Amino acid sequence: MGAYKRIGILTSGGDCAGLNAVIRAVVHRASTYNWDVWGIQQATKGLMARPPQVVCLEPTEVDTLLTMGGTILGTTNKGNPFAYPMSDGSLSDRSNEIIEGYHLLGLDAMIGIGGDGSLAILRRLAQQGGINLVGIPKTIDNDIGITERAIGFDTAVNIATEALDRLHFTAASHSRVMILEVMGRDAGHIAISAGIAGGADVILIPEIPYTMESICQKLRSRQERGQNFCLIVVAEAVRTESGEPVTRQDADGTRRFEGIGHYLAERISACSGAETRVTVLGHVQRGGIPSPLDRLTAAAFGVAAVDLIAEEKYDHMVTWQNRQVVSVPIAEAIAQYSTVDPNGTLVKTARGLDICLGS
Ligand code: F6P
């Protein structure tokens, strides 16, 4: 048994199902070493506050977290600490306040659960301020290249697949074209996985350019076979035919992907005369009870992250590779952004099933 440690844990970036299951696993594993775990609230904001905003996480209190959606610690995907938006509209570098917060708490190490953007920021803070950081990948987008799985992806795919299962019957009953718009940022992983699993007829992803003619040709060939309905899945970052992203502006000026489903609905009606309806699944994909696979991944990642701290193997992220959890340098992990491989197995599978990918 090594020396006593006090470890901090924070969740950063967009929430997803399975974050609380990771927190639970970390607390349980740390208790086997007789270490304490302090939960840092609202990502790095908790370390910026004075006094730093933390809660002591007791093993006896975390059991109900296994199935709970969201994150009990809170999170944010805004406010880069190196260019932090201040109330007067200026941007300020507040990195040293966060680093000071970590040291004020007397932490020996910190586990950061985040996507590529959050992990890049946490690593920069760690390098600058001597923070002993271990990373755990989470993102419904599954776009961190070095790991086959990130927390939250499987649940998001389950939810999108269930949506398709439900849309199937109403589409068939009304002979309609049903368009399901899913999240994923610039990667089409959710769209292609849920599209195949949910029996979509057309799957559009940012990685494969499409033409309206090929979609309408698919509708016509289904009609010729007496199939008067169609299920289309589109990833949020798919562009218009002329290559424009379809976005909506938030009150703070940030542009977010939203609206490609409605764009396609209009264009498909115009070219085929079909009756179209759109479902934008949105944040439903991030909420709710984590799938068994996400819980399992959360458990394995949580245990492995604490074990990395026991080995004092910092600046590493736990990853899932070849059916095992291994660790890789965080710098390597965030350098590899993963999109859907247009020549990969899932694309070949979709084409093999005669699913139209728009090209
Ligand atoms: O990265 C996760 C994600 O859910 C993306 O799929 C989506 O584009 C984005 O976050 C939405 O962000 P917000 O929660 O700020 O609307």
Side-chain angles (χ1 to χ4, degrees):
M1 182 71 62
Y4 167 81
K5 289 190 196 304
R6 176 184 298 157
I7 62 179
I9 183 168
L10 59 78
T11 48
S12 180
D15 77 323
C16 62
L19 294 176
N20 283 325
V22 178
I23 295 167
R24 171 182 177 271
V26 164
V27 172
H28 277 306
R29 183 57 174 155
S31 78
T32 68
Y33 290 101
N34 288 320
W35 297 349
D36 288 320
V37 181
W38 287 13
I40 299 160
Q41 293 176 323
Q42 300 295 331
T44 49
K45 271 192 193 171
L47 293 176
M48 219 184 259
R50 293 293 175 273
Q53 298 296 295
V54 287
V55 278
C56 188
L57 297 166
E58 298 289 347
T60 48
E61 290 167 6
V62 293
D63 279 338
T64 51
L65 297 185
L66 183 59
T67 54
M68 193 189 286
T71 162
I72 54 158
L73 299 176
T75 187
T76 177
N77 58 3
K78 289 184 180 160
N80 177 348
F82 293 94
Y84 196 82
M86 306 299 284
S87 50
D88 63 1
S90 63
L91 296 175
S92 167
D93 180 352
R94 302 191 63 181
S95 54
N96 284 333
E97 293 166 60
I98 292 168
I99 292 163
E100 187 189 62
Y102 168 90
H103 292 295
L104 278 176
L105 291 170
L107 296 176
D108 297 293
M110 183 170 84
I111 294 177
I113 312 169
D116 55 350
S118 297
L119 290 172
I121 289 172
L122 291 174
R123 176 163 198 267
R124 197 171 154 196
L125 290 165
Q127 299 286 300
Q128 183 178 314
I131 294 174
N132 292 325
L133 178 67
V134 165
I136 297 182
K138 70 86 214 167
T139 164
I140 65 163
D141 307 334
N142 210 27
D143 54 6
I144 304 175
I146 211 153
T147 184
E148 287 155 20
R149 289 188 205 164
I151 306 294
F153 174 67
D154 186 64
T155 306
V157 171
N158 283 357
I159 292 167
T161 305
E162 190 192 330
L164 283 171
D165 294 344
R166 290 172 188 271
L167 289 171
H168 198 141
F169 296 106
T170 172
S173 305
H174 284 267
S175 302
R176 283 174 174 160
V177 173
M178 289 291 186
I179 300 171
L180 179 69
E181 179 179 317
V182 297
M183 283 185 165
R185 263 205 311 175
D186 294 303
H189 295 295
I190 297 176
I192 195 145
S193 302
I196 294 172
D201 307 297
V202 179
I203 303 172
L204 302 177
I205 56 175
E207 295 85 346
I208 300 181
Y210 68 94
T211 64
M212 206 53 72
E213 176 46 29
S214 81
I215 300 170
C216 290
Q217 175 54 37
K218 178 70 177 179
L219 296 188
R220 281 194 294 274
S221 74
R222 282 180 60 77
Q223 276 162 357
E224 279 158 20
R225 282 183 281 154
Q227 294 163 300
N228 287 326
F229 70 95
C230 188
L231 282 183
I232 300 181
V233 185
V234 59
E236 63 179 359
V238 166
R239 305 308 207 232
T240 63
E241 288 166 286
S242 56
E244 296 299 315
V246 184
T247 58
R248 188 180 60 77
Q249 189 163 325
D250 276 355
D252 67 0
T254 318
R255 297 213 73 92
R256 304 198 176 282
F257 290 120
E258 193 178 303
I260 185 65
H262 285 100
Y263 167 84
L264 288 171
E266 275 181 27
R267 305 285 294 123
I268 290 169
S269 294
C271 84
S272 68
E275 193 180 359
T276 54
R277 293 289 187 274
V278 182
T279 303
V280 181
L281 208 46
H283 294 79
V284 171
Q285 292 157 98
R286 298 219 311 234
I289 299 173
S291 69
L293 184 57
D294 269 333
R295 294 184 216 177
L296 195 63
T297 310
F301 279 175
V303 167
V306 176
D307 289 347
L308 281 181
I309 294 174
E311 291 169 43
E312 303 196 343
K313 195 173 175 186
Y314 302 122
D315 200 20
H316 276 64
M317 184 187 88
V318 294
T319 65
W320 200 286
Q321 289 177 354
N322 302 319
R323 305 169 79 102
Q324 297 193 58
V325 178
V326 293
S327 71
V328 293
I330 296 176
E332 221 176 280
I334 57 183
Q336 295 186 34
Y337 184 72
S338 147
T339 53
V340 175
D341 177 0
N343 300 309
T345 298
L346 290 188
V347 170
K348 284 184 187 154
T349 303
R351 291 198 197 285
L353 293 170
D354 199 25
I355 295 171
C356 169
L357 297 175
S359 53

